[in-house]
Amino acid sequence: MLNTYTLAETHQYYLLGKIDRKHFEGLVFQYLMDNYERFHVFEGNRDRFVDFLAWFYPRLSRAIGYYQEKGSSFEAYIGSIVRWASKEYRSKEADHRATEYVCWKAKAEEMNACEAEPEYGNGDGNGNAWDLPAFEKNYTPQQILVLLLKSYFFVSEDLLDRIAAYVNRSKEDLKRLIDEMHKKRRDKEQKILDLRNRVHCQYYRCLSFHKRYSSVVPGTAYWEKMQGRYDRAKRRYHSMKKRLSGTRLDASNREVAEILKIPKGTVDSTLFTIRKKSQSQLESKEA
């Protein structure tokens, strides 16, 4: 119909009931696609205009219902709506690009410039190296087994191979104990993992808000809005990070006792003895 009549004339057909609402909306949408050059948006790029229309369509439907003839033709009204909506769409595109840029930049820096994760496979999970010759000399198999389960989360396959012979247990038996500890602490581990993921996401939100407010003119309403969001996001990030740093991945003494089926007091005294011996050895080296 629009090949013969103007948009305003087609609107009159709709008002007279000669075409239904759904058909009329389709005709308006097609008109916009066929005449995208007239609106002078997106630098005449038809693909971007089509993407914009897909985002704009729900508003177009509402705009048709809101139109009233008060000195402006329906065609001029739709043109005005399209131009204003395109500005908002470009703003959202810019925000999206800024967010995407800072996330990829942060990820690249994280992969190439950040400090390496600590090697826990040969340690007790608390920064102490698993020096097996020294352990065999100074600690009993029972003490090593308790320490192994205490730091279960950081134990590697290679470490199990090396410890199994000394504690007089098979690697499969040690692995079974480790697996039991994972099952016992599954809910706690999942909560820690969820918190860690939220901290990462919050970090990227902070970067995104900072990029967006630092890219516009200071003092504008948008600048103040983004700066406010950045400040709130940063406070939340530090709060979440503090909470994460306070979480512990090592097993509790009670959990170790339950897995080994021994009294908790035995685990307490065993770990006390290990700490006391470690401190004594450290003092001897420093002397």
Side-chain angles (χ1 to χ4, degrees), residues 213-277:
Y213 95 79
S214 62
S215 299
V216 297
V217 178
T220 62
Y222 184 76
W223 179 86
E224 292 179 355
K225 178 181 177 181
M226 288 299 107
Q227 186 185 45
R229 288 186 178 181
Y230 169 67
D231 291 339
R232 290 191 295 273
K234 185 170 62 172
R235 288 195 297 270
R236 178 169 170 75
Y237 168 70
H238 288 304
S239 174
M240 294 169 67
K241 190 177 179 181
K242 183 178 180 181
R243 183 149 48 99
L244 179 62
S245 66
T247 61
R248 300 192 61 176
L249 284 169
D250 58 327
S252 69
N253 291 5
R254 184 175 299 281
E255 289 167 334
V256 173
E258 290 172 354
I259 294 295
L260 292 178
K261 296 180 174 55
I262 59 176
K264 176 180 176 293
T266 301
V267 176
D268 294 340
S269 62
T270 297
L271 291 170
F272 176 78
T273 301
I274 291 173
R275 283 194 293 270
K276 196 170 182 180
K277 285 185 178 181

Side-chain angles (χ1 to χ4, degrees), residues 5-21:
Y5 301 99
T6 65
L7 190 59
E9 290 172 334
T10 306
H11 181 245
Q12 288 301 315
Y13 272 91
Y14 163 67
L15 294 178
L16 293 172
K18 295 184 178 181
I19 51 177
D20 61 28
R21 173 67 174 266

